Amino acid sequence: MTKPPLAADPAFRDSHYALLRKVAAGSSAVDAIVVAATRSAERLTVAADLGEQLDALVVVMCSRAATSGGFARLSESRPNLRWLAIDLPTDYYHPLFDFQTSKADEVKAGRLGDLSTKRNLGLALAKLMRWKSVLFLDDDIEGIEPVHVARAASALGELRIVGLEVADYPDNSVVCHANRLAGSPQQTFISGSALLVDADRINSFFPEIYNEDWLFFFDAAQRGQIGRVGNVTQLPYDPFADVSRATDEEFGDVFAEGLMELAHVKCPRSAAEDPHFWRRFLVGRARFIDSIGCRLASGPVTDIERRALTALAASSSRLNAITPSSCAAYFDTWSADLTQWKLRLSDLPIMTTITSALDFLELSTADHSSHAGKSSQRTFMSSVPLEATPAHQVTELTELVAAAKQELEGAASTTRIALTAQIDAPYRRLQAGDWTRLNRETFIGEGCDIGHFSLIGEEVYLGEGTIIDAYCMVEGGVTLGKNVLLTHRASVEAKAKIGDNCIIGGTLICEKSRIGDNCRVFGNLIHRQLDPTIDWDAEEAEEPAPQLADNVFVGWGATIIGGVNIGEGSYICAGATVTKDVPPHHIVTGTNKLHTPQEWNGALAKSPFFA
């Protein structure tokens, strides 16, 4: 496998700001605020106030010192607040959240407890209820401005994740806190502590590992679809008080930092399958920790520096037990979980009430203390109707319910997607510059059929009735009209556009080509390469692509090169080479040899094609 390009020392990045996009001014509604609560009720005042100000449903997942009854008492002074508080049983289980990564005990951070479970429950509720914008908020966050949350929500049309940065008190790992203490610059990043999510478009989950939020938004980071707006404050704590914190964090810190390195260098996620990538990263991580320790110990050591050195020693000891193979193996397990999670989400029913969604998740409003073998569970709801949803959801929800009813009556969707097909694949990496995005959703029309091992890129549009045969590739931003057939391993490159009722077989359609309606293309459409010394994707290297009008036929093995125009109703014979414009209703043979049907002596001239 080719070695992925890395920074000079990949473990020394002190900032991930380059992965974050700017959020323009705007304001949109927030559907729900999900709080993973472990502290007493007074720590939930921030979420309750925010829910009132934004008219958003507040969902509180309670354990340890947090209780649903405590939040119920807190809400008594807020009669208009819509809220739901759940006491999560310590032995809660639902097959929806049966992840193999949860069985990898050696990578878990014990202090995180049930944080991942609570956040995944919030995601599942959002999917069941068709919420679009969900704010994940921890109960140790303060100073959150409603205007920043509303602004973040307005950016979810373009982005999938927008975070509010926890900069004061900084949200960092033990190692990064030590790095800052040693005098080095150390930025924070967005995290699940205050994270706005487009629940409609996110199909990842929170695994049980430190930095689970980074894994959650890794795919969005690779696609350039995460942003930041505003700052919040976290309750301060002593990161060096307990050395077990450093031990618990190390695997998750290494793994998440490694993934973000791939996002920085625009390397495909498949690079993380290679132990060689992790070998280099682990070496860099060891140097990073050693350098921090050397700087801390270079002069008189204060009490906090002594405790930081002890924590660093614990991190280093844990790091020595992490192998490149264990990182690659965890990546494989996590990837398999992601695949299963997406399949489970696709099978989720549509719920029209919170109560039915809670029943589905086995979190009903009844007291479960009498159930044998189950921990006590209580669920409280506000007296304000919880189903009060923003107006933009009402029509969509009605349509979804109607579609579900039709399906029950036998009128199921005829769209088929093979299990081995890859949908919404990221744009390929560029050698120079970045893609100019279309800012549209990937769309697959009714009655489409996508075969095994085919690849459909993000921002692709497939018109209804389109068939993609096995092993075909449709890159990002491509538009295919209605009733198009791609067969014989055809490849359509980025942002090409193909009209209705076309057949594309065994051929390469180059980037930004245009093909009209009712065409059959069995040859290659390619760019010229006048200066092969320029980077393939450099802006100055971009050349026009072929343009085919309606009703054009391109025979097997023909090649159309550069920004030529092929006129309507023209016939390019098998093996021909075209480098010049072709007038309408002409036949081309050899290299740019034009013939009219009237002068053609063969049977082709009498074909209905030229009628």
Side-chain angles (χ1 to χ4, degrees), residues 544-567:
Q547 312 286 306
L548 276 60
D550 297 343
N551 305 303
V552 168
F553 178 88
V554 180
W556 199 268
T559 305
I560 301 175
I561 306 172
V564 298
N565 295 297
I566 309 299

Side-chain angles (χ1 to χ4, degrees), residues 39 111 140 169-174 177 210 234-241 245 249:
R39 294 172 175 82
R111 65 180 180 81
D140 60 349
Y169 183 76
D171 185 14
N172 284 128
S173 66
V174 170
H177 274 291
Y210 176 70
Q234 186 181 51
L235 288 180
Y237 63 93
D238 184 352
F240 313 119
R245 187 185 192 103
E249 288 181 355

Side-chain angles (χ1 to χ4, degrees), residues 324-347:
S325 295
S326 65
C327 292
Y330 185 84
F331 177 83
D332 290 341
T333 303
W334 173 54
S335 297
D337 275 348
L338 276 171
T339 299
Q340 287 300 314
W341 174 248
K342 292 174 183 178
L343 291 174
R344 293 168 192 171
L345 292 182
S346 67
D347 288 336

Side-chain angles (χ1 to χ4, degrees), residues 67 88 97 154 168 224 294 340 345 389 396 401 408 420 434 449-450 468-469 509 554 557-558 560 569:
T67 64
L88 190 65
F97 312 114
S154 70
D168 183 24
C294 289
Q340 287 300 314
L345 292 182
T389 55
E396 181 182 18
V401 173
L408 291 173
T420 54
D434 294 304
D449 194 315
I450 300 176
I468 310 296
D469 206 353
I509 307 299
V554 180
I560 301 175

Side-chain angles (χ1 to χ4, degrees), residues 481-485 499-503 517-520:
K482 299 177 182 178
N483 302 314
V484 173
L485 170 62
D500 298 340
N501 305 308
C502 290
I503 299 175
D517 297 337
N518 305 308
C519 292
R520 295 191 180 186

Side-chain angles (χ1 to χ4, degrees), residues 104-154:
D105 292 332
E106 70 277 6
V107 309
K108 293 182 183 178
R111 65 180 180 81
L112 297 178
D114 54 9
L115 177 63
S116 294
T117 300
K118 290 172 179 175
R119 288 177 175 168
N120 288 330
L121 273 170
L123 280 173
L125 268 176
K127 294 289 187 179
L128 289 166
M129 295 301 300
R130 306 295 172 177
W131 296 333
K132 289 185 176 294
S133 52
V134 177
L135 174 67
F136 288 94
L137 187 67
D138 284 358
D139 60 2
D140 60 349
I141 296 298
E142 298 177 332
I144 186 166
E145 296 290 341
V147 65
H148 289 156
V149 178
R151 182 179 174 186
S154 70

Side-chain angles (χ1 to χ4, degrees), residues 399-422:
E399 291 172 352
L400 287 167
V401 173
K405 182 178 179 182
Q406 287 181 351
E407 183 170 339
L408 291 173
E409 293 172 353
S413 169
T414 55
T415 295
R416 301 192 311 173
I417 301 176
L419 290 177
T420 54
Q422 183 177 356

